[in-house]
Amino acid sequence: MSDRFTSTRQLNAATSSAPLAKAADDGLGPMEKEAPPASHAMQPTARSPQPAPYEDTGLLRFLTCGSVDDGKSTLIGRLLFDSKAILADALQAIERSSKKRGLDTIDLSLLTDGLQAEREQGITIDVAYRYFSTGTRKYILADAPGHEQFTRNMVTAASTADLAIILIDARKGVLTQTRRHSALANLLGIRHLVVAVNKMDLVDWSQGRYEDIARDYLAFAAKVGIQEVRFVPISALHGDQIVERRAHLDWYQGPTLLEILESTRLEEELDDAPCRFPVQLVSRPRTAEHPDYRAYLGRVESGSIAVGDEIAVLPSGARSRVAALHLGGKFLAQARQGQSVALQLTDELDISRGDLIAKVMDAPRSVKELSATLAWLAEAPHLPGRSYVLRHGTREVRARIAAVHGRLDMESLDLRPATGLAMNDITGATLNLQSPLPVDAYEQVRATGSFILIDELTNATVAAGLIRGSAPSTGRARP
Amino acid sequence: MSFATPVQTVTHLERLESEAIHILREVAGQCANPALLFSGGKDSVCLLRLAEKAFRPGRFPFPLLHIDTGHNYDEVIAFRDYRSAELGVRLIVRSLEDSIAQGKVVLRHPLQSRNPFQSVTLLDAIQEFGFDACIGGARRDEEKARAKERIFSFRDEFGQWDPKNQRAELWDLYNARTHPGENIRAFPISNWTELDVWQYIQAEDLELPSIYFAHQRKIVRRNGSLVPVTHLTPAKVGETIEELSVRFRTVGDITCTAPVASVARTVAEIILETATTELTERGATRLDDQTSEAAMEQRKKEGYF
């Protein structure tokens, strides 16, 4: 095991704190006296309206942006190791591989290079997902490789993330790459950006250096329309300000990186978002017990919905009220963003897979022409005039790209004239749809503001689309 | 049916459950003829409960499929049959023995692990029934190759997974389109960890085969693993047979699944052990994955789950 990871396993106790507390409830005597972990980082900051067997502050998805040089692998290794997600045998396997390659220290990037093909070529070709838990919150970390097919991978990883950690090397400051990562994270609607200024040990823990970098970054952020960003000085190598506070950075009074992760508000806590419920299936068991039962199966993708709410079915526009919400035999008064339920209405309507249920008061508009930002993912470029299957929520319509506007230059983040659509291009586009689609602006509702394009011949997913609002954005990073 | 109080916070387990149910419903919505792979193991027991909840009070619209290596523990096979009979669902069992009899699988050694050869029988079953999707209980935390696999994972007409050419998977917009002969493997609990699985088993009060709980068993110690002494895995000359309290963390082909020393007799006790273990699930218990860094990736390319 590398020396640099022997300093602390403070999180270990915390990892098991949840099940320990639960086990105590089950009458397992000896564990009851287990004191809660002393770490300040473990104090849950999110509210819990009701006493629970143990505090569970939900699930946070985040991604890390940065190259190996920025210490991304070390940071990931540190988070996984300190939270005990790397277990002894996995570490031994990495150690063996490192030795085989003639390395003196453990190369934590081996942990994230999963595929034989990658090891053979010495590159990372795909997003890898990692998991760790602090006992109160579970984390899904999407690790997007920094080089190959960068845009495609980052867009994929960012599409499901609530938070992005942008790594900056304290010696190098804000680089083109930093700006590129930030612009994409912002474009993909990640609400929480955290700039981690890493390698503080190599700039003598200098407060001045840290503040210079923060100032540079804020100037750039204002230009591209990034609204909220938090900064934290860290040393992934030594573990400063990730889980633990150390004397080196005593001038920094803000939260540690883990405290930021622990206290970030989750999407489902945004109660004022409009309700969106794409219908996945219609359930009609027609059994002796349930001869006339009819329910719509789906997940609340935004906002919340409650029994008695007046709803509209789109695109037809039919109206009804919510009669019941349940899951697995348990009735609910209300369902919130992220919850899969069965929904019953007071009226019998003609509803099928692909329809969208919304509240009458904030139902979306239906359109036959879309203005969108497209990320082209396929190796084959777009052929003008070609039609695609557009999947939006659970609905599929045929679509054609009518016009391609500006292309986002990934070096300068300026808009350049677009000549077509090729892999990793991000462009503005206008799409014509065969039939009306109820849509939102991506900025407002991710689930109904996004779509993919599928090539019907190959069945490949060729593009990802972000629907623009009616008022065109003027930000430079938003083509 | 019982009435619950209004939901206040969505716990991580509820989020994972909702995601898995969403995925199961997408399979049912997009695929014409899916099957759910059910072995009686803990991950597929969770999968089965998720399928029940996803479609209740209706039935889930797919049969269960098990590829039986013929080298499974009796307790697990009995549980598989008991659980599917209890639910009243169709269970299709296809046996590796048949593939061996047909000459499609040739073993170098009669006691060789049959695990990798399940792909042959699975692909035959897919063809026989025309399944366009198989729902499996694989998790991304199990193994490096799985960490990069899509939730809807495309397999070509030879059942092969091409890690370099995976379909882009953004947001929750899954693309399950296939041409005839091609196949989707859908993994609803991709984002679950071993601990999540045990917490779900506890929350849902799920029954499991008895060998998941601590019991006395004759074992020998071999290459750092506890190898159960069975008719398929006899003790070698010079090895000392011990009787230990053990449990299985993962259950598969007898020849490649090892138990761990444990006195955990309840789900709560297993959760405690899982939260404090020093070894990964596969590392501690799979005798086949340790052979090569790329063992799983190779098998997946050949059509494995």
Side-chain angles (χ1 to χ4, degrees):
Chain A
M1 190 186 299
S2 160
D3 284 345
R4 62 199 204 198
F5 282 113
T6 52
S7 57
T8 176
R9 302 204 73 167
Q10 192 165 10
L11 259 173
N12 297 3
T15 311
S16 52
S17 71
L20 287 179
K22 182 83 175 126
D25 285 351
D26 295 337
L28 293 174
M31 306 319 297
E32 280 171 75
K33 292 190 180 67
E34 187 86 22
S39 165
H40 54 273
M42 288 304 104
Q43 299 310 314
T45 48
R47 71 217 145 61
S48 175
Q50 285 179 330
Y54 59 88
E55 188 121 23
D56 185 329
T57 55
L59 176 67
L60 183 82
R61 291 168 187 260
F62 71 103
L63 85 153
T64 47
C65 315
S67 74
V68 180
D69 302 339
D70 297 328
K72 185 174 69 147
S73 296
T74 313
L75 175 66
I76 292 172
R78 167 72 53 189
L79 280 170
L80 295 179
F81 186 80
D82 282 1
S83 63
K84 202 174 161 280
I86 305 179
L87 297 178
D89 58 329
L91 205 62
Q92 277 163 16
I94 298 169
E95 204 172 0
R96 273 201 306 273
S97 301
S98 302
K99 277 196 186 133
K100 225 159 68 181
R101 269 152 240 238
L103 300 172
D104 291 336
T105 56
I106 294 181
D107 182 358
L108 277 163
S109 69
L110 295 174
L111 188 80
T112 43
D113 288 351
L115 304 172
Q116 193 176 21
E118 294 173 326
R119 287 191 294 272
E120 282 164 1
Q121 296 171 45
I123 54 158
T124 317
I125 53 178
D126 225 318
V127 181
Y129 295 89
R130 309 285 157 196
Y131 305 86
F132 69 98
S133 166
T134 53
T136 50
R137 187 168 266 189
K138 180 187 161 93
Y139 294 93
I140 301 179
L141 190 172
D143 177 23
H147 320 289
E148 297 292 313
Q149 303 182 353
F150 163 75
T151 303
R152 172 188 155 128
N153 282 318
M154 170 128 182
V155 166
T156 302
S159 74
T160 52
D162 305 304
L163 179 147
I165 298 175
I166 314 265
L167 268 171
I168 293 180
D169 184 331
R171 295 168 304 174
K172 296 177 186 163
V174 178
L175 302 176
T176 303
Q177 177 177 264
T178 315
R179 289 190 281 269
R180 191 186 298 171
H181 291 150
S182 305
L184 280 180
N186 189 44
L187 181 72
L188 269 287
I190 295 179
R191 288 175 208 274
H192 309 282
L193 287 189
V194 179
V195 173
V197 181
N198 191 24
K199 305 195 183 181
M200 287 302 293
D201 51 313
L202 299 182
V203 293
D204 291 329
W205 314 100
S206 160
Q207 183 175 5
R209 181 68 190 137
Y210 168 74
E211 283 171 356
D212 285 347
I213 291 171
R215 201 174 305 117
D216 283 356
Y217 189 90
L218 283 171
F220 151 77
K223 247 188 339 198
V224 294
I226 292 172
Q227 283 167 4
E228 207 190 298
V229 60
R230 303 175 76 172
F231 297 89
V232 56
I234 62 167
S235 167
L237 189 64
H238 298 280
D240 293 72
Q241 280 314 123
I242 292 170
V243 177
E244 283 187 284
R245 282 164 204 287
R246 297 259 181 80
H248 299 127
L249 293 167
D250 55 0
W251 47 263
Y252 172 79
Q253 298 301 316
T256 62
L257 185 60
L258 192 74
E259 283 173 323
I260 292 174
L261 297 178
E262 290 279 277
S263 61
T264 297
R265 280 192 79 192
L266 301 174
E267 196 82 4
E268 72 245 22
E269 292 170 321
L270 305 167
D271 284 326
D272 51 348
C275 170
R276 300 291 180 257
F277 184 87
V279 176
Q280 291 185 278
L281 291 164
V282 181
S283 168
R284 295 205 61 196
R286 294 190 186 91
T287 55
E289 204 187 335
H290 302 282
D292 301 315
Y293 176 93
R294 181 197 287 259
Y296 307 102
L297 307 182
R299 184 170 63 176
V300 181
E301 298 293 354
S302 165
S304 65
I305 192 161
V307 173
D309 281 347
E310 194 183 5
I311 61 94
V313 182
L314 300 159
S316 77
R319 291 186 177 196
S320 184
R321 277 184 190 279
V322 178
L325 292 163
H326 55 92
L327 181 70
K330 210 185 213 178
F331 279 88
L332 307 165
Q334 187 201 37
R336 295 170 71 174
Q337 193 263 344
Q339 282 190 295
S340 287
V341 289
L343 181 151
Q344 291 181 278
L345 297 176
T346 51
D347 306 280
E348 270 205 15
L349 299 179
D350 179 19
I351 299 176
S352 53
R353 173 175 168 85
D355 286 340
L356 180 72
I357 292 174
K359 288 182 196 170
V360 167
M361 57 181 217
D362 51 16
R365 67 207 157 98
S366 287
V367 298
K368 277 195 79 175
E369 187 184 275
L370 277 183
S371 175
T373 300
L374 279 186
W376 198 257
L377 309 168
E379 283 184 25
H382 166 244
L383 292 173
R386 180 87 187 272
S387 85
Y388 296 92
V389 171
L390 182 151
R391 171 164 300 148
H392 172 263
T394 55
R395 193 175 193 84
E396 289 185 353
V397 297
R398 203 171 292 275
R400 190 168 279 138
I401 299 169
V404 179
H405 311 301
R407 184 176 66 85
L408 183 67
D409 183 280
M410 291 313 293
E411 290 300 320
S412 65
L413 298 178
D414 285 328
L415 282 185
R416 295 281 162 80
T419 48
L421 273 163
M423 187 157 73
N424 293 322
D425 277 356
I426 292 184
T427 67
T430 305
L431 289 95
N432 291 330
L433 311 178
Q434 190 192 29
S435 56
L437 201 62
V439 299
D440 290 291
Y442 185 80
E443 286 180 341
Q444 263 112 50
V445 187
R446 254 190 197 189
T448 39
S450 56
F451 61 86
I452 54 172
L453 295 181
I454 299 168
D455 182 326
E456 269 184 298
L457 295 179
T458 63
N459 287 333
T461 302
V462 296
L466 292 79
I467 298 164
R468 292 154 133 193
S470 43
S473 166
T474 50
R476 271 213 311 165
R478 287 167 187 272
Chain B
M1 285 185 166
S2 59
F3 281 80
T5 49
V7 176
Q8 299 290 329
T9 42
V10 184
T11 66
H12 87 275
L13 215 50
E14 287 173 316
R15 290 284 300 207
L16 292 174
E17 180 189 62
S18 274
E19 179 184 64
I21 287 174
H22 177 257
I23 292 162
L24 284 162
R25 288 168 171 175
E26 278 306 290
V27 175
Q30 292 192 41
C31 302
N33 188 21
L36 187 145
L37 297 168
F38 180 65
S39 63
K42 69 179 191 312
D43 299 318
S44 68
V45 166
C46 287
L47 213 51
L48 200 58
R49 169 54 55 92
L50 291 161
E52 279 182 78
K53 289 183 89 166
F55 299 97
R56 207 178 273 171
R59 285 175 173 279
F60 51 81
F62 30 75
L64 307 181
L65 172 65
H66 183 226
I67 304 303
D68 189 348
T69 61
H71 281 177
N72 289 295
Y73 285 98
D74 294 341
E75 294 92 334
V76 181
I77 295 299
F79 180 83
R80 176 200 73 187
D81 294 341
Y82 150 76
R83 190 75 186 96
S84 36
E86 185 186 40
L87 277 177
V89 292
R90 182 173 171 220
L91 169 70
I92 299 166
V93 177
R94 283 296 172 266
S95 175
L96 195 73
E97 301 278 1
D98 293 337
S99 301
I100 295 170
Q102 290 161 12
K104 290 178 175 171
V105 169
V106 179
L107 299 173
R108 286 186 307 251
H109 181 276
L111 297 186
Q112 186 184 354
S113 169
R114 296 181 170 190
N115 225 40
F117 300 106
Q118 290 178 91
S119 315
V120 175
T121 316
L122 174 66
L123 295 180
D124 279 352
I126 287 170
Q127 195 170 27
E128 178 185 353
F129 294 95
F131 293 129
D132 55 355
C134 291
I135 304 161
R139 310 191 318 262
R140 283 174 175 158
D141 81 322
E142 283 179 281
E143 206 276 332
K144 278 159 78 164
R146 284 188 167 158
K148 298 201 168 179
E149 188 164 11
R150 301 289 182 257
I151 289 174
F152 278 61
S153 183
F154 173 77
R155 304 297 166 97
D156 66 17
E157 59 203 298
F158 300 101
Q160 292 190 322
W161 178 58
D162 181 0
K164 281 189 271 190
N165 194 22
Q166 299 197 75
R167 285 181 183 171
E169 198 165 77
L170 295 101
W171 299 288
D172 299 313
L173 296 172
Y174 303 112
N175 175 358
R177 286 173 170 254
T178 51
H179 292 298
E182 298 169 345
N183 189 261
I184 292 290
R185 306 286 168 83
F187 302 115
I189 60 169
S190 285
N191 287 326
W192 297 38
T193 61
E194 185 185 12
L195 186 59
D196 295 327
V197 166
W198 281 109
Q199 288 178 328
Y200 194 68
I201 287 165
Q202 184 175 54
E204 291 288 315
D205 200 15
L206 296 177
E207 278 184 83
L208 286 178
S210 58
I211 63 173
Y212 276 111
F213 301 94
H215 58 282
Q216 292 296 120
R217 184 175 288 272
K218 287 193 171 64
I219 57 99
V220 294
R221 295 173 194 271
R222 194 181 295 160
N223 300 333
S225 295
L226 305 180
V227 178
V229 179
T230 67
H231 66 291
L232 296 168
T233 51
K236 290 179 181 170
V237 179
E239 284 179 334
T240 312
I241 297 175
E242 297 170 65
E243 188 159 328
L244 274 192
S245 179
V246 297
R247 66 179 172 90
F248 285 89
R249 279 172 76 182
T250 179
V251 159
D253 195 75
I254 290 175
T255 58
C256 65
T257 319
V260 292
S262 169
V263 290
R265 294 182 172 277
T266 64
V267 173
E269 287 168 358
I270 291 173
I271 287 175
L272 258 174
E273 283 192 358
T274 307
T276 52
T277 184
E278 290 284 320
L279 295 175
T280 63
E281 185 176 340
R282 296 193 88 87
T285 60
R286 298 304 287 246
L287 303 171
D288 53 343
D289 285 349
Q290 296 169 7
T291 46
S292 147
E293 263 189 298
M296 172 66 78
E297 184 183 351
Q298 197 52 43
R299 274 186 282 154
K300 278 179 125 28
K301 284 184 188 165
E302 289 160 4
Y304 193 69
F305 312 119

